């Protein structure tokens, strides 16, 4: 599905507001529009403050954060992609299947740590 620019901008703003509150290690989110070549996949880039020492191999062991109350926070991109994003898409009358996407997570230096396509 190819979204109108204003709808994509609204989704990006909502995701920015929600995910930055849930996951303090996210600095910003941008969504790349798919090419007009028949591939309708949106690329969701999550730019984080994760240190360069975090890699795909050690992601789950080293990616533990704490909020101001001392509660542990884990940036579980699978849960975000499988549960939170589908719920938020309902605000735009979109289904999970209707918003084909790839999640990419970058460290503080802008290096790609992982992708749901890997």
């Amino acid at each position: 599905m190819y979204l109108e620019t204003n709808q994509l901008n609204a989704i990006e703003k909502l995701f920015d507001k929600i995910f930055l509150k849930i996951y303090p290690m996210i600095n910003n989110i941008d969504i790349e529009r798919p090419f007009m070549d028949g591939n309708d996949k949106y690329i969701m880039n999550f730019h984080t403050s994760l240190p360069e020492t975090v890699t795909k191999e050690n992601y789950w062991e080293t990616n533990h954060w704490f909020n101001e109350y001392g509660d542990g926070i884990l940036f579980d991109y699978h849960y975000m992609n499988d549960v939170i994003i589908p719920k938020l898409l309902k605000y735009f009358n979109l289904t999970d299947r209707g918003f084909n996407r790839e999640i990419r997570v970058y460290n503080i230096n802008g290096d790609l740590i992982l992708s749901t396509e890997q």
Side-chain angles (χ1 to χ4, degrees):
M1 167 181 274
Y2 196 75
L3 301 174
E4 296 293 326
T5 299
N6 61 347
Q7 190 175 25
L8 183 61
N9 289 343
I11 290 170
E12 195 173 65
K13 284 181 183 179
L14 177 67
F15 285 6
D16 240 358
K17 285 197 177 285
I18 299 291
F19 290 126
L20 272 59
K21 289 190 184 296
I22 297 172
Y23 302 112
M25 68 288 299
I26 296 176
N27 295 331
N28 75 307
I29 302 163
D30 65 79
I31 303 173
E32 296 176 31
R33 183 173 287 289
F35 295 112
M36 298 296 287
D37 61 359
N39 181 358
D40 67 345
K41 186 174 290 184
Y42 289 85
I43 307 297
M44 299 183 66
N45 297 303
F46 288 82
H47 303 278
T48 70
S49 56
L50 296 173
E52 69 248 7
T53 55
V54 176
T55 65
K56 179 181 177 186
E57 290 76 27
N58 68 7
Y59 183 84
W60 297 107
E61 292 81 30
T62 59
N63 185 19
H64 299 282
W65 293 70
F66 297 91
N67 66 15
E68 65 270 16
Y69 307 109
D71 300 325
I73 301 169
L74 175 66
F75 179 28
D76 185 347
Y77 63 94
H78 289 295
Y79 182 79
M80 177 186 65
N81 191 35
D82 296 342
V83 178
I84 300 173
I85 289 176
K87 287 181 181 181
L88 293 176
L89 289 172
K90 291 178 183 177
Y91 288 99
F92 299 96
N93 290 327
L94 294 173
T95 63
D96 189 31
R97 287 183 161 214
F99 189 69
N100 188 14
R101 63 193 173 276
E102 174 185 343
I103 305 290
R104 295 180 182 173
V105 179
Y106 298 87
N107 69 15
I108 196 163
N109 293 339
D111 302 322
L112 181 65
I113 298 174
L114 49 86
S115 165
T116 54
E117 286 297 303
Q118 292 177 341

